[in-house]
Amino acid sequence: MLSRSGGRLVASALPRPRGSPQPAPAAAGRGFHAGTAARQAADGAQEQPKPFDPVLLEFLVCPLSKKPLRYEESTNELINDELGIAYPIVDGIPNMIPQAARMTDKKKQEEESE
Amino acid sequence: MGVTACGALCGRHRQLLLLLARGFCSGFRRFSAEGETHFGFQTVSEAEKGEKVYQVFESVAKKYDVMNDSMSLGIHRLWKDILLHQMNPYPGTQLLDVAGGTGDIAFRFINYIRSQRERQVQQKLRSHQNLSWQEILKSYQEGEQKSLGGSHVVVCDINKEMLTVGKQKACHLGYSEGLSWVVGNAEELPFNDDKFDIYTIAFGIRNVTLIDQALKEAYRVLKPGGRFLCLEFSQVNNPLISRIYDLYSFQIIPVLGEIIAGDWKSYQYLVESIRRFPAQEEFKEMIEDTGFLKVEYRNVSSGIVAIHSGFKL
């Protein structure tokens, strides 16, 4: 698997996108565009709304149990596995109000089995 | 004293006064036994108050700074500057600014730290005149990397809209590092114990439903040796100024609110909530009851605003 920067260079040099399921574009220009698109997705910080700042993870705990949280990148949430709640992060600002949090599926499954 | 003052202000609200008197007599500071509290001059349940306060700030968020400037004729900037001077933070301080909304205190903190840091670096260079070029270069590099010297401010507010406005302001003004934004409830802070050097709450604590709870949380998240600072509207001690202030509050501010922000009710709530907040001495006792030591307050602008300070020792 190419590293991110290596992939960028290769993608911009070759007229083919790196590992994407799209058909190979004909012109080098298209390939460059795909390369920058891959770079955008990889960085995330510039084009999309700001991602969560990991510095905050040192400070934040669950307001209910005061236990540390886990950052889940896929759903962009902070998860308290113990209580099974997930706090959403909107625009890079974590929402630590218990009413705004949602129950994660694991907790729901436990409740159903009981 | 509080009862007669209220009587002068709101002759129409006799029933409310009776409730207030009953509340005082029963030993609860402002709440009656059934979990009711005040929302301005209205009486609401504690559960309702949180929701109503949220709506107030949600609706004023975008015009909050403009309104602050027009209502206080820009003097609120002075008050906040005075708070920072009293705080006198040094580089490396971890600050928690609760109800920090649009970030006024946080930005001032960063500016203060930056100028302190520059002074530190200059002093260091001046006192080490015989450094080699390599050492001087290294200290300049260090200075750039940690331009805040490890200081950090976390802005916490219950209202997402206020924080969004604050974050945009930070972008425009160029504040990027050392600043974090969290949506959280002052009564249930999402931070671990003994985390922060300084806890500030500027013009926010009168909007909290359970002030005792917020004070307890403040005590919890502060490090031993940490400082609690509260900047809040308070009781005016000069009778002449008090009358002018009341006139201005009740006649002009809600009108300004309607003209500038299109929201009379929110600003009516704001001026009423100021009247319902405990006076300097009473608030000082509340802070002492929580466990803070060396609790002091100083009046600013004849008591229109007061800064309460306490230490966790």
Side-chain angles (χ1 to χ4, degrees), chain A residues 13-95:
Chain A
L14 300 175
R16 233 180 335 170
R18 167 175 60 96
S20 78
Q22 296 166 2
R30 284 273 296 279
F32 184 69
H33 178 70
T36 52
R39 194 198 330 158
Q40 275 180 10
D43 279 357
Q46 281 114 25
E47 271 70 27
Q48 293 169 11
K50 282 207 202 105
F52 177 61
D53 185 4
V55 171
L56 256 184
L57 260 180
E58 293 170 24
F59 292 106
L60 283 180
V61 296
C62 174
L64 298 169
S65 67
K66 312 297 181 202
K67 292 281 164 58
L69 298 161
R70 177 174 60 87
Y71 174 51
E72 178 67 54
E73 192 148 348
S74 54
T75 51
N76 206 27
E77 287 176 336
L78 291 163
I79 313 246
N80 180 343
D81 293 309
E82 212 179 339
L83 292 175
I85 38 181
Y87 297 97
I89 300 176
V90 184
D91 279 341
I93 305 177
N95 190 334

Side-chain angles (χ1 to χ4, degrees), chain B residues 65-128:
Chain B
D65 292 322
V66 174
M67 275 306 294
N68 277 349
D69 275 331
S70 27
M71 286 191 294
S72 68
L73 308 171
I75 305 176
H76 75 103
R77 296 162 187 250
L78 259 174
W79 293 330
K80 288 168 182 160
D81 289 337
I82 295 175
L83 176 70
L84 253 296
H85 273 98
Q86 189 164 345
M87 195 197 295
N88 197 18
Y90 52 86
T93 301
Q94 308 297 310
L95 172 68
L96 174 64
D97 183 23
V98 177
T102 49
D104 278 342
I105 302 290
F107 301 148
R108 280 176 171 74
F109 174 78
I110 294 179
N111 290 340
Y112 203 95
I113 298 276
R114 276 196 193 142
S115 59
Q116 293 275 55
R117 183 82 180 143
E118 276 171 25
R119 229 180 296 163
Q120 242 183 16
V121 171
Q122 278 171 8
Q123 262 180 358
K124 203 168 111 186
L125 289 177
R126 237 179 280 147
S127 61
H128 292 100

Side-chain angles (χ1 to χ4, degrees), chain B residues 159-203:
Chain B
N159 197 303
K160 232 185 318 145
E161 279 66 27
M162 294 286 281
L163 286 177
T164 309
V165 172
K167 211 167 176 202
Q168 287 169 353
K169 231 169 72 172
C171 272
H172 286 147
L173 298 173
Y175 295 100
S176 51
E177 53 155 351
L179 191 55
S180 301
W181 309 83
V182 179
V183 177
N185 190 342
E187 299 164 3
E188 229 176 358
L189 288 173
F191 305 108
N192 229 332
D193 303 359
D194 304 339
K195 270 283 170 184
F196 296 97
D197 295 303
I198 305 181
Y199 173 109
T200 51
I201 183 163
F203 301 121

